Amino acid sequence: MKITDIRYGMLRVPLKTPFKTALRTVDIVEDIVVEIHTDTGHIGYGEAPATAVITGDTHGSIVEAIAKFIAPRLIGQNIANLNRITQLIQTSLEKNSSAKAAVEIAVYDLFGQLYDAPLYKMLGGGDPVVTTDITISVDYIDKMVADSIQAVERGFEALKIKVGKDIGVDIERVKAIYAAVEDRALLRLDANQGWTAKQAVYALQTLEDAGVRLELVEQPVKAQDLDGLRYVTERVHTPIMADESVFGPTQVIELIRMRAADIINIKLMKTGGISSAIHIADIAALYGVECMIGCMLETSISVAAAVHLAVAKANVITKVDLDGPSLCAFNPVDGGVIFNESEISITDAPGLGIREIRGLERL
């Protein structure tokens, strides 16, 4: 099975409600979709969102990186040579992690198809079902409480609460949600770099003293502020998770060496795809550090790849934050993984199991 062509398209899917964080507000998912065609007629699918405020990738840069730097290296390559292909992708240019991820996902999809097996089995196997949390966007307190109650009633047992806008209001938001859901759901806070280290310690100690128990707090400080991250980790009981601070394996090693966080959030759009995500999971496992698997605003194309990875690395990926498709107004994918509120399951279809993508605008 050899690569003969790489094509692109734009996929637009409205969100059920606006997605609001300390960094941005989004109303619609607009992602670049990659199709890798082969001489056997098989097609591999990948996807990348333009998350400029986090990865630096834009729609234009994703397409340019693939068309000018990555694709020319891959034409004619045999899918069976997976390690060689992933090396070609990763060394094609610096950064551009989302572009690399989209292509890698499509390649891994084809790798599973080559051997007529679902991707998770090619990565080591596991129980093909995971349970995800759901995001509660930052908003007025009453709206966030209502959204949280609704999510619990839909069966979600973990809520990812967006904060980081205003420290005083953030504390009241969390107290109100905690009181409303009681012990029916775990609460995960995500500040999206919105606090300083001292603000984070103040907020979390205040919540802890008030009896609020949180499962974790994600990226309370700026991505580059590892000293600040460690400052927070050392001063609160609540587990601290690094997200934007960790893109690749070398950063993971440094974070673990500094003891700057308790948990690592793996996202394929940060790691540049599945190969580096595997390295991160293996490093974390060696040191006994838990990981979460997360996503940007992605549809079920790239999220499917993250689900397969989560299943195969369940020994270290103990938490799942793959609610992107659940936030979308509809699923544009025929086939792939199955989303049923908080439960995500994998079929026995080869690769990612994607048969067709509806509404794709060719570029």
Side-chain angles (χ1 to χ4, degrees):
M1 185 187 292
K2 292 185 178 181
I3 297 173
T4 57
D5 192 17
I6 298 180
R7 303 173 191 173
Y8 326 92
M10 174 71 77
L11 186 61
R12 306 178 199 272
V13 182
L15 294 173
K16 293 175 182 175
T17 59
F19 181 83
K20 301 177 183 179
T21 74
L23 295 174
R24 58 183 178 146
T25 298
V26 182
D27 298 299
I28 184 171
V29 172
E30 297 180 295
D31 290 359
I32 299 296
V33 173
V34 174
E35 293 180 352
I36 298 183
H37 292 251
T38 65
D39 60 353
T40 58
H42 293 82
I43 302 173
Y45 295 97
E47 172 192 13
T51 317
V53 294
I54 298 175
T55 65
D57 296 289
T58 65
H59 292 131
S61 71
I62 291 167
V63 172
E64 184 81 358
I66 297 172
K68 297 290 181 67
F69 296 92
I70 302 175
R73 295 181 133 205
L74 301 190
I75 301 300
Q77 293 294 323
N78 194 321
I79 292 297
N81 297 328
L82 180 65
N83 289 340
R84 171 172 171 74
I85 292 176
T86 58
Q87 183 182 35
L88 289 172
I89 294 169
Q90 296 303 322
T91 58
S92 58
L93 74 170
E94 290 296 314
K95 303 186 186 300
N96 291 275
S97 59
S98 296
K100 293 175 180 177
V103 179
E104 265 212 7
I105 290 168
V107 168
Y108 273 87
D109 184 11
L110 287 169
F111 188 65
Q113 293 180 49
L114 175 64
Y115 295 102
D116 196 33
L119 179 58
Y120 80 93
K121 290 187 177 180
M122 303 299 296
L123 299 178
D127 181 5
V129 180
V130 298
T131 302
T132 182
D133 61 14
I134 192 166
T135 299
I136 306 298
S137 289
V138 64
D139 214 315
Y140 297 110
I141 293 176
D142 289 347
K143 177 68 164 59
M144 294 182 72
V145 168
D147 290 345
S148 299
I149 292 172
Q150 183 185 57
V152 171
E153 291 174 347
R154 288 167 56 191
F156 286 91
E157 297 178 351
L159 308 180
K160 183 176 179 179
I161 311 298
K162 293 290 187 179
V163 291
K165 285 283 191 179
D166 180 297
I167 194 75
V169 179
D170 284 340
I171 292 171
E172 296 308 312
R173 286 182 174 114
V174 177
K175 285 182 178 179
I177 293 171
Y178 186 78
V181 303
E182 298 175 337
D183 59 352
R184 292 179 291 167
L186 298 171
L187 298 189
R188 302 167 176 172
L189 298 195
D190 185 2
N192 283 115
Q193 310 178 58
W195 294 334
T196 65
K198 287 188 176 181
Q199 284 178 327
V201 170
Y202 166 74
L204 297 180
Q205 287 183 347
T206 299
L207 289 169
E208 289 172 353
D209 291 344
V212 175
R213 296 292 172 260
L214 304 172
E215 185 186 13
L216 59 88
V217 176
E218 181 176 351
Q219 200 63 49
V221 301
K222 296 296 183 184
Q224 297 79 13
D225 189 10
L226 291 187
D227 288 328
L229 196 63
R230 179 172 60 184
Y231 179 92
V232 178
T233 301
E234 290 175 343
R235 287 165 175 79
V236 299
H237 297 294
T238 304
I240 302 300
M241 181 168 70
D243 180 12
E244 290 92 345
S245 290
V246 179
F247 273 59
T250 55
Q251 290 174 312
V252 169
I253 292 171
E254 178 65 8
L255 182 137
I256 291 174
R257 185 192 66 79
M258 290 180 62
R259 298 183 179 179
D262 304 295
I263 309 167
I264 295 164
N265 194 357
I266 300 172
K267 292 179 179 175
L268 300 184
M269 297 304 134
K270 293 188 306 174
T271 63
I274 296 172
S275 62
S276 288
I278 291 171
H279 293 324
I280 290 173
D282 288 343
I283 291 168
L286 284 173
Y287 287 91
V289 175
E290 287 184 87
C291 292
M292 173 186 278
I293 187 80
C295 62
M296 306 296 191
L297 280 177
E298 306 162 33
T299 73
S300 60
I301 303 168
S302 53
V303 170
V307 173
H308 281 264
L309 178 64
V311 166
K313 292 293 182 181
N315 63 311
V316 63
I317 298 176
T318 58
K319 306 177 193 304
V320 176
D321 174 34
L322 297 176
D323 63 343
S326 297
L327 303 176
C328 292
F330 60 88
N331 184 4
V333 176
D334 180 17
V337 296
I338 299 170
F339 293 85
N340 181 20
E341 296 291 13
S342 63
E343 184 178 277
I344 311 174
S345 54
I346 302 173
T347 70
D348 286 331
L352 297 179
I354 297 172
R355 294 186 293 269
E356 183 184 4
I357 300 172
R358 297 179 293 275
L360 190 62
E361 303 169 21
R362 299 293 174 182
L363 298 178

